[in-house]
Every structure is written in C-alpha cells, then in structure tokens.
Amino acid sequence: MGKKKKVTKKKKSKQDAYIHAITVMILSALLAVFIYIKSGYIGEHLSPMLGGIMGWIKYLVPLGTFLIGISLVKEKKEFVAPKITQYAIIILCICAFMSLMQMSGDNKKIDVNDEFSNIVSKAYDLGTENKGGGVIGALVAVPMRKLLRTSWSKCSFTWCCNTTYNLYIWNKTSRISR
C-alpha cells in the first residue's frame, strides 16, 4: 500500500489564495469585456447601469479588480482588506469630486437646490452618458455641497484622496523596512 500524502495547512491556504486570485482576475476580464466592449445582453445593460451608479469611473473598476486579484497572490490576507477599503475610498472621492464639478461653475448640470430625488435622477442620467460621478458621487457631494461651499468641498475630497494614497505608500514602505 502506498502512503497517503498529507496536504499541509499552509499549502492548502496558498492554493485557496491562488483560486481566489484567479477567480477575481477572471471576473476582472469579464467586467472589462462587458464595460469596454458592451458585448451581449449583459454588457449592453451593465455598462449604462454602472455608469449611472458611478459615472465614468466605471472604466477603472476592471483595472482595480485585477490589481486586487494580484494582491491576493502577493500579499498576506490581512493586507488585502485595507487595500480594498482604500480603493473604495478613492473611487468614492473621485465620484463625489466629479459630481461637485457638475454642481458648480457656469455649466451647472445639477441644481443643488432641487429636490433630492430629482438630483439623484439627474446624476444617474448624466452617469449613463459617462459624465460626472453618477449616483454615488451625488449622494456624497450634495450634502457636502450644502454644508460647505464648493471650494471647501473640493478641497476636502482632494485631501481625502491624498491621505488615502499616502497611507497606501506608508503601508508599502513600512513593510519593506521590516
């Protein structure tokens, strides 16, 4: 009789990480096809819907998903969740900043004094045309715009993106120095 090989826990977790990473990368490739090429029934409906939700930032989603898949292989599990959070915060800030741009200036496309449901509807319509930050951006930008003036709102979103990016760089360099 031959001996049974035992798969160690470390090998099993590494294999699981590879399976998760490959799944995320395949999902990223499918998202890219659906969003960029708008192929098939799903692509024709998914691309405008994502545009309505997050504006032209939808084009960054497959890239970010692919990078998360790579980090699943490279990094330990405890480093993946902060990267996903940082990615989500940056996407949120960019969407809000783009919506703020539509609420200010000479070419106002969204009126802040309008009813909130009309603002969200207008943001969705503009997002399907790949303009602005979509509904997500409007949900964050409208209260911020009403609380602060436009210039302060833009500064706060820029600061938030910058801080998130700096935390990412600090996290990267602290792991290198260990």
Side-chain angles (χ1 to χ4, degrees):
M1 291 265 196
K3 291 184 178 180
K4 291 184 180 179
K5 291 184 180 180
K6 290 186 178 179
V7 178
T8 63
K9 192 173 184 177
K10 190 173 184 178
K11 276 188 177 181
K12 182 70 173 160
S13 67
K14 193 68 168 173
Q15 289 173 347
D16 287 346
Y18 286 140
I19 290 171
H20 290 293
I22 290 171
T23 305
V24 169
M25 288 181 193
I26 290 172
L27 177 69
S28 169
L30 285 173
L31 277 172
V33 168
F34 291 143
I35 291 172
Y36 296 130
I37 302 173
K38 297 180 186 175
S39 64
Y41 179 79
I42 295 174
E44 289 174 359
H45 291 83
L46 181 70
S47 185
M49 183 186 69
L50 277 177
I53 293 172
M54 63 179 57
W56 62 267
I57 302 298
K58 70 178 180 182
Y59 294 113
L60 297 179
V61 171
L63 177 66
T65 308
F66 186 77
L67 293 175
I68 288 170
I70 290 174
S71 75
L72 280 172
V73 173
K74 280 182 63 176
E75 307 290 335
K76 296 179 182 174
K77 280 188 177 181
E78 60 266 8
F79 294 121
V80 175
K83 284 186 180 184
I84 292 172
T85 305
Q86 291 169 349
Y87 175 66
I89 289 171
I90 287 176
I91 293 292
L92 182 73
C93 288
I94 292 172
C95 287
F97 188 80
M98 294 307 299
S99 290
L100 271 174
M101 296 304 287
Q102 290 182 326
M103 295 175 195
S104 61
D106 296 333
N107 194 12
K108 283 187 183 179
K109 295 184 177 167
I110 297 176
D111 185 20
V112 182
N113 299 323
D114 203 1
E115 249 184 73
F116 194 70
S117 61
N118 293 340
I119 292 171
V120 171
S121 173
K122 183 68 175 170
Y124 184 85
D125 292 341
L126 288 170
T128 57
E129 300 169 6
N130 296 327
K131 297 177 182 172
V135 172
I136 291 176
L139 289 175
V140 175
V142 169
M144 190 68 124
R145 172 70 168 80
K146 287 184 177 182
L147 288 173
L148 305 171
R149 289 182 290 152
T150 305
S151 58
W152 285 107
S153 300
K154 291 176 188 174
C155 290
S156 64
F157 288 124
T158 305
W159 176 82
C160 189
C161 281
N162 190 21
T163 303
T164 306
Y165 179 73
N166 287 337
L167 286 174
Y168 171 74
I169 296 296
W170 178 77
N171 189 13
K172 202 69 147 163
T173 56
S174 67
R175 275 188 276 138
I176 291 173
S177 65
R178 284 188 227 163

